[in-house]
């Protein structure tokens, strides 16, 4: 089984993800990412390679980040320990100081017992699959074992948060005075830096979920538990709520009524704003196949093209890089603004969303009305052959449902990448109609793709 998943290495800390594995992975990373002309040039100039290491506040991150730092230093790499900061902050810092690479220890929105290791290349960009495979293979090979003065040093990255906040503030097209925002930091990596950034941008800030104790990350708070934030916004009469996940690479919002504003709606708002400023490259937004039909229709009405990718922010990033596009993301709230970030950045997204509110004088509900959200019904059909989604009977049923819906809906069948199941997604103007069609298609999938008992 492959070590790397869709977003780095992830698993139960002290289960499959041990300190030994973290150390070996770091050593292998030094072997693979320590190659190339820039690395050779540094060595020729008598300099060691440099890496940024950061983590979210879950308790296992303390020993895992220490193991990563030890593995890198033992391989002759100087480590700048940025401590607890968001994943996008780590990515930014790697590029900002021209580090050779970096490592973020986090399991994002997963519960506290899990953890993960994300590796970024020079410039703060995620690794392509081929490089991850090379690192995994290198774990079984010889390691770099310098001695004496050639071993790496581990130092504190003292101004990591300040550099990141300055970067965020410099990106804003408008300050946030007059806006009362409630921030839910998921008891995660954003707990320290996000309130500071929004206050420095001029907003009145109320904070929830910003008391991490190492075990309460994502526990009933954050973007995966947004009901608490919605209730607090309504109770306080605030203008808007912003919810991060554990490592703050995503952002969801709630308006003044407590209604959830998802990643599709956020992208629609930002796309229109960026087009007005001439900042939306090629007037194109990149979104996944799971994005709502309403997003596509709204973008068409505003003269904006939508390019679709497979599900996963890494695929969005790949397409953005290929086309040179400036905005993309997912319904889940991973929004990538490539002018300012190399990955999804929940703080950056939230700040720009509020800047649009301040610039226009509009409420978030008014801005979100740019798109109509179509009811979306998702059915996970378990115990079926995920390789059989092209079965003639299934394909015929999808074609029939698509014809029935016409321009008023959409059908998508997608095989799970990790489980033996097929996801059936149907959008329609009416939720009952969407549920009926999704149920019928699920029955067809079960009838023709069921695995032997």
């Amino acid at each position: 089984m492959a070590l790397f998943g869709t977003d780095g290495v992830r698993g139960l800390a002290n289960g499959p993800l041990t300190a030994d594995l973290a150390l070996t992975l770091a050593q292998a990373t030094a072997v693979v990412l320590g190659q190339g002309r820039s690395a050779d040039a540094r060595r020729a100039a008598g300099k060691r390679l440099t890496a940024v290491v950061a983590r979210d506040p879950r308790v296992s991150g303390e020993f895992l980040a220490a193991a990563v730092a030890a593995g890198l230093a033992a391989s002759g790499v100087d480590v700048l320990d940025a401590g607890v900061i968001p994943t996008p902050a780590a990515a930014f810092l790697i590029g900002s100081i021209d580090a050779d690479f970096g490592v973020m220890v986090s399991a994002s929105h997963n519960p506290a017992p899990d953890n993960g290791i994300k590796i970024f290349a020079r410039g703060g960009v995620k690794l392509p699959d081929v490089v991850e495979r090379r690192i995994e293979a290198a774990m079984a090979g010889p390691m770099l074992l310098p001695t004496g003065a050639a071993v790496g040093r581990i130092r504190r990255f003292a101004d990591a948060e300040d550099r990141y906040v300055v970067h965020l503030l410099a990106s804003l097209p408008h300050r946030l005075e007059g806006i009362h925002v409630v921030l839910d930091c998921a008891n995660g990596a954003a707990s320290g830096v996000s309130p500071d950034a929004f206050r420095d941008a001029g907003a009145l800030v109320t904070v929830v979920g910003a008391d991490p104790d190492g075990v309460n990350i994502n526990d009933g708070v954050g973007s995966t538990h947004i009901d608490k934030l919605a209730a607090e916004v309504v109770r306080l009469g605030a203008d808007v709520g912003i919810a991060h996940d554990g490592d703050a690479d995503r952002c969801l919002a709630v308006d003044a009524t407590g209604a959830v504003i998802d990643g599709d709606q956020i992208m629609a708002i930002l796309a229109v704003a960026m087009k007005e400023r001439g900042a939306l490259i090629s007037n194109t937004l990149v979104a996944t196949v799971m994005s709502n039909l309403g997003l596509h229709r709204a973008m068409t009405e505003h003269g904006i093209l939508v390019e679709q990718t497979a599900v996963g922010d890494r695929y969005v990033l790949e397409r953005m890089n290929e086309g040179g596009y400036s905005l993309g993301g997912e319904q889940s709230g991973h929004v990538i603004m490539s002018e300012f970030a190399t990955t999804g950045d929940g703080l950056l997204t939230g700040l720009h969303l509020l800047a649009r509110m301040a610039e226009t004088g509009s409420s978030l509900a008014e801005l979100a009305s740019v798109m109509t959200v179509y009811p979306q019904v998702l059915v996970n059909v378990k115990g079926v052959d995920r390789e059989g989604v092209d079965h003639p009977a299934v394909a015929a049923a999808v074609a029939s449902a698509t014809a029935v819906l016409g321009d008023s809906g959409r059908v998508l069948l997608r095989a799970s990448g990790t489980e033996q199941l097929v996801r059936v997604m149907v959008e329609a103007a009416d939720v009952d109609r969407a549920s009926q069609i999704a149920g019928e298609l699920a029955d067809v999938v079960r009838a023709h793709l069921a695995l032997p008992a």
Side-chain angles (χ1 to χ4, degrees):
M1 184 175 178
L3 180 65
F4 286 88
T6 56
D7 196 15
V9 177
R10 194 173 296 187
L12 179 66
N14 270 345
L17 185 55
T18 63
D20 283 346
L21 187 147
L23 187 142
T24 305
L25 179 61
Q27 290 178 302
T29 298
V31 170
V32 173
L33 298 187
Q35 300 173 354
R37 283 177 293 181
S38 62
D40 291 342
R42 287 186 193 249
R43 293 191 186 95
K47 299 179 180 178
R48 289 187 292 267
L49 302 186
T50 301
V52 174
V53 174
R55 63 182 179 88
D56 72 25
R58 66 190 76 211
V59 64
S60 61
E62 297 174 5
F63 73 77
L64 289 171
V68 167
L72 294 177
S75 303
V77 178
D78 284 342
V79 175
L80 284 172
D81 179 4
V84 175
I85 58 172
T87 291
F92 162 73
L93 292 167
I94 293 163
S96 175
I97 67 168
D98 193 29
D100 294 279
F101 54 92
V103 179
M104 178 70 187
V105 178
S106 174
S108 188
H109 59 279
N110 282 29
D114 291 343
N115 218 321
I117 298 174
K118 304 179 185 183
I119 302 169
F120 292 90
R122 176 182 293 277
V125 298
K126 291 187 176 182
L127 302 182
D129 292 345
V130 63
V131 177
E132 289 182 341
R133 289 194 291 270
R134 286 172 56 201
I135 291 174
E136 187 168 352
M139 292 175 70
M143 299 301 179
L144 303 172
L145 296 172
T147 59
V151 301
R153 306 294 297 273
I154 302 174
R155 295 183 176 90
R156 173 73 178 145
F157 198 149
D159 62 343
E161 286 193 5
D162 290 341
R163 282 176 179 258
Y164 178 52
V165 171
V166 168
H167 159 69
L168 292 173
L169 297 178
S171 77
L172 286 179
H174 200 285
R175 286 186 58 81
L176 311 184
E177 276 81 9
I179 295 179
H180 181 187
V181 58
V182 182
L183 296 178
D184 185 342
C185 299
N187 291 322
S191 297
V193 68
S194 186
D196 287 347
F198 279 83
R199 288 191 184 104
D200 289 351
L204 172 63
V205 177
T206 301
V207 184
V208 298
D211 296 304
D213 62 8
V215 296
N216 63 356
I217 188 169
N218 302 314
D219 186 7
V221 290
S223 60
T224 53
H225 303 278
I226 204 165
D227 52 330
K228 181 177 180 179
L229 173 64
E232 192 68 1
V233 168
V234 172
R235 186 184 73 82
L236 294 172
D239 300 300
V240 58
I242 296 294
H244 301 307
D245 60 339
D247 69 339
D249 65 352
R250 71 172 73 180
C251 165
L252 293 179
V254 298
D255 66 21
T257 72
V260 177
I261 307 299
D262 69 14
D264 284 343
Q265 293 165 288
I266 292 171
M267 286 191 291
I269 293 167
L270 296 180
V272 172
M274 290 172 65
K275 185 186 178 189
E276 288 181 5
R277 295 199 307 272
L280 189 66
I281 303 300
S282 301
N283 285 336
T284 298
L285 168 69
V286 181
T288 76
V289 293
M290 290 299 289
S291 280
N292 195 272
L293 177 61
L295 175 64
H296 293 262
R297 293 201 161 184
M299 294 300 91
T300 297
E301 290 172 6
H302 284 81
I304 297 171
L305 302 174
V306 178
E307 292 222 3
Q308 289 185 288
T309 74
V311 174
D313 66 321
R314 67 186 304 162
Y315 303 113
V316 174
L317 271 166
E318 286 176 5
R319 186 67 195 101
M320 290 177 70
N321 291 335
E322 290 168 0
Y325 301 126
S326 52
L327 182 65
E330 297 186 282
Q331 195 177 68
S332 62
H334 283 111
V335 177
I336 303 151
M337 305 178 72
S338 63
E339 181 180 357
F340 309 112
T342 59
T343 187
D345 188 331
L347 282 74
L348 181 73
T349 301
L351 287 164
H352 278 255
L353 185 63
L354 269 61
R356 182 61 170 173
M357 293 173 63
E359 177 186 12
T360 61
S362 301
S363 69
L364 183 55
E366 289 168 336
L367 292 176
S369 68
V370 68
M371 70 170 275
T372 300
V373 179
Y374 277 63
Q376 193 176 69
V377 174
L378 178 66
V379 178
N380 290 325
V381 187
K382 299 180 179 181
V384 296
D385 179 10
R386 64 184 178 188
E387 307 298 329
V389 290
D390 294 326
H391 188 284
V394 174
V398 170
S400 176
T402 300
V404 168
L405 288 169
D407 292 335
S408 65
R410 186 166 68 110
V411 174
L412 175 68
L413 260 68
R414 188 170 67 89
S416 168
T418 58
E419 302 174 79
Q420 284 296 350
L421 61 83
V422 171
R423 307 188 197 281
V424 177
M425 190 274 287
V426 178
E427 289 173 337
D430 176 77
V431 67
D432 292 335
R433 185 71 169 136
S435 296
Q436 175 192 343
I437 293 174
E440 292 170 352
L441 288 173
D443 288 341
V444 173
V445 170
R446 291 187 189 96
H448 294 278
L449 303 184
L451 293 170

